[in-house]
Amino acid sequence: MDPILEFDRVSFFYDTGADSQPTVNDVSFSLPRGQHLAILGANGSGKSTMARLMNGLLVPDRGTVTVADMDTADENSIYEIRRQCGMVFQNPDNQIIESTVALDVAFGPSNLGVELGEIERRVDEALAMTGLSALRDRGPHELSGGQKQKLAIAGVLAMKPSCLILDEATSMLDPVSRDELMQLIIRLRDEEGLSIVQITHYMEEALEADYVLLLSEGSIIRSGTPAEIFSRPYELRELKLDVPPYIEISQNIDRIFNGEIEATAIIDLNDAADHVRQVMLQARAENFPLEMLRDEQLRLEALIETERRQPSTSGETVIEVNKLSFTYDDNPLQKVTALHNLTMASTRGEILGVVGATGSGKSTFAQHLNGLIRPEEKGKVLIFSQDLAEKKNVREVRRLVGLLFQYPEDQLFEETVALDIAFGPKEMKFSPAEVAENVERAAEITGVSHLLSRSPFELSGGEQRRVAIAGVLALNPEILIMDEPSAGLDPDGRETVLNDLSELAKSSKTVILISHDLESIARIVDRLMLMSKGEIIAIDTPEKILSSEGLLAEASLTVPSTVKFLNLLRSDFPHLQSGAFTAEEGLLALLTAYLQPSEEGTIV
Amino acid sequence: MSSLSLLGRTFVADSQLHRMNSSVKLLAAIALMVIVLLSQHPLILLFMTILTLLLIKLSKLPFSLVLKSVRPILFIIIFAFIIHGLSGQGETIASFWIFRISLEGIVTGALTALRITLLVINTSLFLTLTTPPTALADGVERLLSPLRHLRFPVNEFAMMMSIALRFVPTLLEEANKLMKAQSSRGASYDTGGLIKKVRGLVSILVPLFISSFRRAEDLAVAMEARCYQGEAGRTRRSGRKLTWREYSLLALIVILLLLVAVVQPRLPQIIWF
């Protein structure tokens, strides 16, 4: 059968100057019908341009793109090409056109001139397939991010496509919605026979594909099955992509005990756990020399020691929240209890992670900490012993507590980075000398000193986020609160931002990180506060909280894959410690558990 | 902000008013506007008030919610009342400085305030509160469709309007978030002089504009990807068929028009002026 999609030596230039660099450079591949292709690449690798070339939104400068035997450069077949290759974009808000769910699904078929009765049938069918039937009369602003993306898929399905292109469609979603969307995509592939092209920087998603293309600077630098691609983690890391830690752990176990790494990685979590169990039990049966393992253990310990954060809390209480409750009542049709009887405290120099599913009350809680929302009746919020119930304290507390919302780069507005960072201190009436000094220091902490004279709008996403953080740090706050610090950034940008925040805590500032993604922040926090339905259901070290899958389930959070992986192995290695997030930590935990004397006393 | 959050929002309920054809509702809203403005006689206004209350009941929306739609223009209503109240016509009952308060002024002021309130409630009841933006745009499209003969791009105009309305809640939410974000870095929007306030607005408007442009661009690409090509070849949504519901509303409108135009001038004066 003919391939549904074919690239033949395709190049594309945004800038048509003589010496300009191609955004897509000499790319060739072909996607057979019903297959699932993942395209991986860091930000700026040309992924989104590739997507737009696939349905004729862009036309290649060199080479040809063929969709079901139609050339995308052919104006006459453009609508048929777009019907066959439906596309879902990154930002859930910016692709819903109509004002209700059902009408939006009907948008595509209406454009194609499908007759009304048939449109209605297709809308019903598409809504049933995506599980949105109950929401058919809702408006876009009443949907969650995950529901909006499902709606975008339903809108494509109503055009009866043969191929679904997802351009980072999951990158603005929380982990639970991401999983749900992924399951939907796999179901459409397996049950409806849709071909899938998925552009992503989430490796877990690429693992589901039949075939993976690695893209760097517009060129395909490697292609193969996920098992082949993931057998070389170092290569992916060089491309600023990350590798699921359990794959690396399993490979390292092979390297340590068998002395070699297989050419194809084991990509399924359960299979990898089975493999590791088998290798380690066999090694124990064959009395594998322990010295080698001890050396490895020491090496890993030293490596992790340099990376691990030493909690530097001083014991001075800086935040005190007592019996705080809050109800949203601006829509009389539905009052929402966002917080219920919250009591907690935090000390100087602590990094506290506040984690919970969407709607658990995290943001409402954060807005209480700098007086954006003032406490209701009985509730108390004390910041450095200043009571936020009293209006006169609000201004001073605003300076002491820096708060960054999700996607803080959206708030940049000045002509230059320096002016934008200076906005806060100027508003707070700092002297010109102080303003200059604070801007310089804040830029240094976030590593944007070299960008001060640039316009914030020409920076990359990661740089913009760091500028936004600097804009709050310029007020010299004692407490920094940040909502979803790493959302929407690629692995490289994520690491830089998290390291900055970690550094900040070392200078005895208190940092509060809010996220629905446990995995993204658990590695750097001292304590985790788990929220569900407006209440705190646990507040403890990440190790303790992560070892309880029950607790995470109660908070509707996904269990990080490394934790899931180690939990599978605990029955055979009862001494296995939980609380490992990176590949190194997981490997060390496994080796340590192996070296623990077991009941039979096989180890002396 | 919270009173603005009702702006452009449709509240879904299953009522006769919600189910009505949007072109008819548009016509009714315009006609009611005229009728309320023409209502001078206290009896007619009383009748209109009762009618409005009945319409609210018919919409199955909570009374408090409908009343909230008046909040954004509460200032104008109070202003109108005071201006009339101090206008000094008729017999003075109290006076200070250059103002003379008269019973007649107070009554006229109250009636004017009532008229504006009824006007706003009726319009939002028929349009925003019970008609989703797309239906509203459809209504406009059908009412304007004769203009097609003059080569006016009616469909595109309606699409533009529907998208603009669809994004009102999104943009309000975003403005709200920006205000909070800039407040967190020390901006204050309720204190300071004019220059400071304008500067404050810049810190909200600039990012809002930039994100709106980005949204517009994204949306255009998303529409293109879903085969939008303007009016040509597009399936027209059929409006709801006119039923007894629409005909009774139209009949009511005719009766009301007759009432204000023919009956009102013949009513006996029940107030002394």
Side-chain angles (χ1 to χ4, degrees):
Chain A
M1 210 149 129
D2 293 331
I4 177 72
L5 177 68
E6 198 164 16
F7 271 49
D8 184 25
R9 313 210 56 166
V10 170
S11 295
F12 181 83
F13 298 76
Y14 272 110
D15 187 7
T16 46
D19 53 346
S20 64
Q21 291 295 310
T23 311
V24 170
N25 188 8
D26 200 23
V27 166
S28 299
F29 70 89
S30 118
L31 174 67
R33 279 176 196 271
Q35 295 269 298
H36 185 164
L37 174 74
I39 300 181
L40 292 179
N43 287 350
S45 58
K47 297 185 307 246
S48 289
T49 310
M50 288 269 284
R52 288 173 186 209
L53 285 165
M54 287 175 196
N55 65 352
L57 286 172
L58 296 173
V59 175
D61 290 313
R62 270 189 238 130
T64 47
V65 176
T66 320
V67 173
D69 288 328
M70 292 172 286
D71 188 338
T72 58
D74 178 9
E75 292 270 345
N76 295 322
S77 38
I78 196 70
Y79 293 110
E80 178 59 15
I81 286 169
R82 288 186 187 153
R83 183 190 72 75
Q84 292 231 10
C85 275
M87 201 153 159
V88 177
F89 298 88
Q90 180 176 20
N91 191 327
D93 269 320
N94 300 358
Q95 48 187 322
I96 300 173
I97 296 136
E98 302 277 12
S99 57
T100 69
V101 168
L103 287 173
D104 193 66
V105 177
F107 182 75
S110 304
N111 289 333
L112 294 166
V114 177
E115 54 122 354
L116 272 176
E118 171 67 11
I119 291 182
E120 249 164 66
R121 264 192 299 283
R122 287 191 188 185
V123 169
D124 290 343
E125 198 187 357
L127 289 179
M129 266 198 257
T130 47
L132 294 176
S133 302
L135 305 174
R136 60 178 303 140
D137 293 321
R138 296 282 179 89
H141 57 277
E142 294 170 286
L143 304 180
S144 71
Q147 289 166 340
K148 285 178 194 165
Q149 290 303 67
K150 282 185 189 168
L151 170 57
I153 292 182
V156 168
L157 291 178
M159 298 197 293
K160 300 272 172 200
S162 19
C163 179
L164 181 63
I165 304 165
L166 301 127
D167 184 5
E168 300 200 43
T170 58
S171 69
M172 290 174 86
L173 303 183
D174 61 82
V176 175
S177 315
R178 209 151 70 204
D179 276 358
E180 275 181 30
L181 203 73
M182 209 48 215
Q183 280 163 20
L184 172 64
I185 291 162
I186 291 168
R187 209 175 64 229
L188 292 172
R189 177 191 72 193
D190 295 343
E191 289 170 17
E192 309 293 324
L194 273 186
S195 315
I196 308 286
V197 177
Q198 195 167 19
I199 290 162
T200 181
H201 52 233
Y202 288 107
M203 299 306 128
E204 297 82 0
E205 293 171 3
L207 295 177
E208 303 286 349
D210 297 309
Y211 211 70
V212 179
L213 300 180
L214 274 187
L215 205 64
S216 175
E217 289 169 8
S219 305
I220 297 179
I221 55 161
R222 235 157 88 69
S223 60
T225 61
E228 287 164 2
I229 296 284
F230 286 102
S231 66
R232 301 196 214 170
Y234 50 90
E235 211 176 70
L236 289 163
R237 259 200 299 267
E238 255 169 44
L239 291 173
K240 298 180 175 171
L241 296 171
D242 49 17
V243 184
Y246 68 86
I247 293 183
E248 244 183 291
I249 295 173
S250 147
Q251 283 183 327
N252 274 294
I253 291 289
D254 269 341
R255 175 179 60 79
I256 294 166
F257 290 97
N258 295 338
E260 56 178 9
I261 298 174
E262 313 239 346
T264 52
I266 301 171
I267 55 171
D268 181 78
L269 189 130
N270 292 308
D271 293 349
D274 285 343
H275 178 71
V276 166
R277 179 184 301 119
Q278 200 193 337
V279 170
M280 285 175 64
L281 289 179
Q282 196 183 348
R284 181 169 281 176
E286 291 169 0
N287 283 323
F288 189 82
L290 299 177
E291 289 71 42
M292 261 181 73
L293 298 184
R294 293 219 169 88
D295 286 349
E296 191 74 31
Q297 191 185 19
L298 286 176
R299 187 185 69 86
L300 285 168
E301 268 169 4
L303 191 72
I304 290 166
E305 203 52 43
T306 54
E307 282 182 10
R308 170 154 293 174
R309 210 184 94 70
Q310 293 302 323
S312 52
T313 52
S314 69
E316 180 197 354
T317 304
V318 293
I319 300 174
E320 219 181 322
V321 175
N322 206 344
K323 296 202 173 106
L324 185 65
S325 298
F326 187 77
T327 307
Y328 283 102
D329 58 359
D330 54 342
N331 181 348
L333 288 188
Q334 47 186 140
K335 293 195 178 183
V336 183
T337 304
L339 295 178
H340 184 68
N341 215 7
L342 237 67
T343 298
M344 57 79 68
S346 179
T347 50
R348 186 184 272 281
E350 179 180 43
I351 304 188
L352 174 70
V354 177
V355 212
T358 309
S360 58
K362 301 174 310 246
S363 289
T364 311
F365 168 68
Q367 290 178 45
H368 274 93
L369 296 183
N370 80 342
L372 280 176
I373 304 178
R374 306 264 300 287
E376 258 175 20
E377 345 158 9
K378 278 176 289 173
K380 274 242 176 293
V381 179
L382 301 177
I383 306 292
F384 285 94
S385 310
Q386 300 197 57
D387 190 345
L388 273 173
E390 286 172 50
K391 196 164 185 193
K392 65 175 171 56
N393 289 334
V394 170
R395 197 161 169 79
E396 173 60 9
V397 167
R398 287 264 164 91
R399 196 196 64 72
L400 289 171
V401 184
L403 173 65
L404 285 147
F405 286 90
Q406 200 167 357
Y407 304 111
E409 52 277 19
D410 289 349
Q411 76 200 38
L412 303 179
F413 72 101
E414 287 280 16
E415 285 158 53
T416 67
V417 168
L419 279 174
D420 211 293
I421 299 177
F423 174 71
K426 277 186 196 156
E427 288 285 312
M428 283 285 185
K429 306 247 165 34
F430 285 27
S431 73
E434 271 178 312
V435 172
E437 186 190 320
N438 282 12
V439 168
E440 203 172 302
R441 195 178 31 87
E444 203 172 308
I445 298 173
T446 54
V448 294
S449 301
H450 60 295
L451 305 170
L452 283 176
S453 59
R454 299 264 296 275
S455 156
F457 303 110
E458 56 188 36
L459 308 180
S460 77
E463 287 168 337
Q464 284 188 341
R465 177 132 341 151
R466 271 144 59 203
V467 170
I469 297 175
V472 167
L473 291 182
L475 290 168
N476 206 6
E478 293 299 324
I479 301 168
L480 184 76
I481 307 172
M482 191 161 177
D483 198 355
E484 300 298 347
S486 60
L489 298 181
D490 63 6
D492 187 44
R494 198 161 69 211
E495 285 309 300
T496 325
V497 166
L498 289 180
N499 283 341
D500 286 350
L501 294 171
S502 190
E503 281 299 310
L504 200 64
K506 277 189 194 151
S507 54
S508 75
K509 309 275 187 194
T510 305
V511 178
I512 297 186
L513 301 179
I514 299 164
S515 184
H516 46 225
D517 187 358
L518 198 54
E519 202 159 3
S520 71
I521 60 164
R523 197 165 48 77
I524 69 160
V525 301
D526 302 320
R527 281 194 308 161
L528 276 174
M529 171 169 139
L530 215 54
M531 288 187 72
S532 173
K533 296 177 189 126
E535 295 184 52
I536 299 178
I537 56 171
I539 179 159
D540 211 327
T541 60
E543 286 77 14
K544 286 260 175 55
I545 287 196
L546 285 167
S547 59
S548 164
E549 289 198 21
L551 209 54
L552 297 180
E554 193 189 334
S556 322
L557 293 171
T558 48
V559 183
S561 63
T562 316
V563 175
K564 222 186 269 175
F565 178 73
L566 292 179
N567 284 351
L568 283 174
L569 290 164
R570 188 155 294 117
S571 56
D572 290 282
F573 303 93
H575 296 289
L576 197 53
Q577 296 274 316
S578 55
F581 305 107
T582 63
E584 286 84 14
E585 287 169 355
L587 189 59
L588 177 63
L590 270 174
L591 292 180
T592 312
Y594 183 92
L595 289 168
Q596 291 275 331
S598 70
E599 279 82 352
E600 292 86 28
T602 39
I603 289 156
V604 188
Chain B
M1 244 21 236
S2 63
S3 64
L4 278 181
S5 66
L6 280 178
L7 217 109
R9 246 159 85 175
T10 306
F11 291 84
V12 179
D14 186 28
S15 77
Q16 303 296 352
L17 220 54
H18 281 82
R19 271 185 252 154
M20 214 172 271
N21 179 299
S22 58
S23 320
V24 175
K25 275 204 263 189
L26 253 166
L27 272 181
I30 297 168
L32 275 172
M33 224 184 276
V34 175
I35 291 165
V36 169
L37 283 175
L38 289 179
S39 304
Q40 302 290 339
H41 199 278
L43 270 181
I44 299 280
L45 272 169
L46 180 69
F47 180 73
M48 288 306 293
T49 312
I50 294 168
L51 188 76
T52 306
L53 290 175
L54 284 175
L55 283 171
I56 295 175
K57 183 98 181 101
L58 198 66
S59 77
K60 293 190 182 166
L61 294 175
F63 187 69
S64 59
L65 177 79
V66 180
L67 214 58
K68 266 193 181 174
S69 59
V70 180
R71 229 200 293 177
I73 60 141
L74 200 59
F75 165 75
I76 300 177
I77 295 176
I78 294 172
F79 187 70
F81 175 69
I82 292 175
I83 287 290
H84 279 281
L86 300 179
S87 67
Q89 284 167 8
E91 201 177 326
T92 306
I93 49 170
S95 71
F96 62 96
W97 193 33
I98 57 165
F99 298 114
R100 294 190 303 124
I101 299 172
S102 65
L103 199 56
E104 192 183 331
I106 289 177
V107 172
T108 326
L111 290 181
T112 310
L114 178 64
R115 228 170 9 239
I116 302 177
T117 311
L118 289 180
L119 189 92
V120 173
I121 289 183
N122 275 309
T123 329
S124 45
L125 197 59
F126 274 96
L127 300 182
T128 51
L129 288 176
T130 65
T131 320
T134 318
L136 204 60
D138 277 354
V140 170
E141 185 178 353
R142 276 191 301 272
L143 285 181
L144 291 183
S145 59
L147 290 181
R148 222 171 248 139
H149 302 296
L150 302 172
R151 292 178 185 270
F152 182 76
V154 175
N155 181 276
E156 280 81 355
F157 179 77
M159 174 65 76
M160 244 164 62
M161 193 181 127
S162 143
I163 288 173
L165 288 171
R166 126 95 180 90
F167 273 96
V168 167
T170 313
L171 290 180
L172 280 175
E173 205 172 287
E174 192 167 350
N176 198 3
K177 182 193 140 183
L178 277 167
M179 198 154 163
K180 283 179 170 177
Q182 306 293 30
S183 300
S184 298
R185 0 189 222 161
S188 62
Y189 297 102
D190 41 9
T191 58
L194 189 65
I195 294 176
K196 198 168 170 212
K197 274 189 183 155
V198 170
R199 222 188 111 66
L201 273 182
V202 169
S203 69
I204 293 178
L205 289 181
V206 171
L208 202 59
F209 270 126
I210 289 170
S211 88
S212 300
F213 280 124
R214 194 167 49 223
R215 280 183 202 285
E217 217 177 292
D218 283 1
L219 198 71
V221 173
M223 287 171 76
E224 242 187 286
R226 279 161 77 186
C227 301
Y228 183 69
Q229 41 191 312
E231 189 167 1
R234 194 168 149 78
T235 312
R236 209 71 77 55
R237 266 191 295 270
S238 63
R240 284 175 197 279
K241 289 239 169 57
L242 300 191
T243 62
W244 60 270
R245 236 181 267 126
E246 285 78 14
Y247 290 123
S248 16
L249 181 65
L250 290 172
L252 178 70
I253 297 289
V254 173
I255 294 171
L256 288 175
L257 278 170
L258 287 175
L259 199 65
V260 289
V262 182
V263 181
Q264 184 170 243
R266 292 182 174 74
L267 283 175
Q269 293 279 333
I270 53 164
I271 304 180
W272 61 98
F273 52 85

